[in-house]
Amino acid sequence: MLVVHVAGNTDTPKLVRTALAVVGADIGRVAIVGGVAVTCRLRHAHRATTDVDTVAEARLPSVIEVLGDLPGAQAAANHADRVELDGVAVDVIATTPLDAIDVDDPLDELFVRAHRYALEEAEMVRLVVDGPDRVEGVLPLATAAGLVATKLCGVLGRRRPPRKQATDGYDLYRLLEALDEDGDVAASVAAADGPLREAVRRASEDALLQGASRVVRTIRRYGADALNEVSVDGLRFVGERFVDRLGPRTSGNWSG
């Protein structure tokens, strides 16, 4: 089993304890995605995050009902897919097998395929958060490739709040910059099923090449100061490196 040591910030131990409580509940097959998973894959707290994102195979609301019975749980007002555990928001995305996808919008299809892929390819990782408030435990973490696929959904999501688009864009940049230098992330996506691979390639062209200026503007306008290290040229560089490993480029705006 892979052992990952993480240099966290003051919030990291609490977030990881919450994630451990989630995966320890009787909710079936799950994977940790989102900012916590990105922090673990990068092995340090690259930005602030305050919630735990989970992909679950079971359907809502049963997952939320089980989590709602955990110690310290509270219902989250106006969020049917969220519960708070000791003050930490836990967002749950339910997935099902892909043999009955019935969506017309390419972004909706990418969302369904990317989150299912993140669940199916998740790895059991022994995580150690170093520091005075040390935490250790085993989590099913989305792979870097799974995180890239899901973060593309966030960057391109039309109804996604701008601040979330900013952090998703920064996460996407850091994952590709740090973990795809040797082509490992691209190789994992290239080995995935054809529809997912094609959707990720075209979404990457849209977000990282054609939309690089927009993504960087969003990061700089809505992200914290620490996120401003991303330049248009830097985002395009990691984007071109990634896309070129996935196949021939296309033209036109894929996401509409």
Side-chain angles (χ1 to χ4, degrees), residues 17-35:
R17 287 193 184 96
T18 300
L20 289 167
V22 170
V23 302
D26 185 18
I27 56 174
R29 190 179 180 190
V30 297
I32 302 300
V33 294

Side-chain angles (χ1 to χ4, degrees), residues 15-253:
L15 291 168
V16 171
R17 287 193 184 96
T18 300
L20 289 167
V22 170
V23 302
D26 185 18
I27 56 174
R29 190 179 180 190
V30 297
I32 302 300
V33 294
V36 171
V38 177
T39 292
C40 295
R41 288 299 177 187
L42 294 176
R43 303 188 180 221
H44 70 279
H46 65 298
R47 65 168 177 85
T49 185
T50 58
D51 54 9
V52 174
D53 295 320
T54 305
V55 179
E57 188 159 46
R59 287 188 173 276
L60 300 175
S62 60
V63 173
I64 297 300
E65 290 171 350
V66 173
L67 294 178
D69 288 335
L70 293 177
Q74 288 185 325
N78 302 319
H79 292 279
D81 57 356
R82 176 181 297 173
V83 65
E84 291 187 1
L85 297 179
D86 292 325
V88 176
V90 177
D91 290 312
V92 180
I93 300 167
T95 71
T96 57
L98 301 178
D99 52 6
I101 289 181
D102 185 21
V103 292
D104 296 324
D105 184 89
L107 277 179
D108 289 343
E109 181 176 351
L110 174 62
F111 184 92
V112 173
R113 291 189 179 279
H115 286 84
R116 185 67 192 185
Y117 175 71
L119 177 67
E120 292 182 345
E121 296 297 316
E123 297 176 317
M124 298 304 293
V125 173
R126 179 166 294 281
L127 187 68
V128 181
V129 180
D130 294 315
D133 190 10
R134 190 176 188 274
V135 180
E136 182 174 350
V138 176
L139 287 176
L141 282 183
T143 63
L147 291 170
V148 165
T150 57
K151 289 296 177 180
L152 282 167
C153 302
V155 170
L156 294 172
R158 304 183 189 95
R159 295 178 295 277
R160 188 79 163 157
R163 292 188 186 280
K164 289 290 189 179
Q165 287 186 331
T167 54
D168 285 336
Y170 182 68
D171 286 351
L172 188 55
Y173 168 75
R174 290 289 289 116
L175 286 164
L176 293 175
E177 181 222 17
L179 304 180
D180 194 47
E181 184 175 1
D182 295 328
D184 293 342
V185 179
S188 294
V189 174
D193 66 78
L196 174 72
R197 180 175 63 248
E198 178 66 7
V200 168
R201 183 181 62 77
R202 299 196 69 181
S204 298
E205 289 184 43
D206 198 340
L208 304 175
L209 305 185
Q210 299 160 15
S213 296
R214 177 191 63 80
V215 172
V216 170
R217 281 197 306 270
T218 301
I219 292 173
R220 291 183 174 175
R221 182 174 182 181
Y222 296 100
D225 289 343
L227 278 61
N228 289 340
E229 68 183 73
V230 185
S231 67
V232 175
D233 287 344
L235 185 61
R236 283 193 179 131
F237 173 78
V238 298
E240 287 175 349
R241 186 174 68 185
F242 179 63
V243 169
D244 286 346
R245 288 164 171 162
L246 296 181
R249 298 186 195 178
T250 58
S251 60
N253 190 306

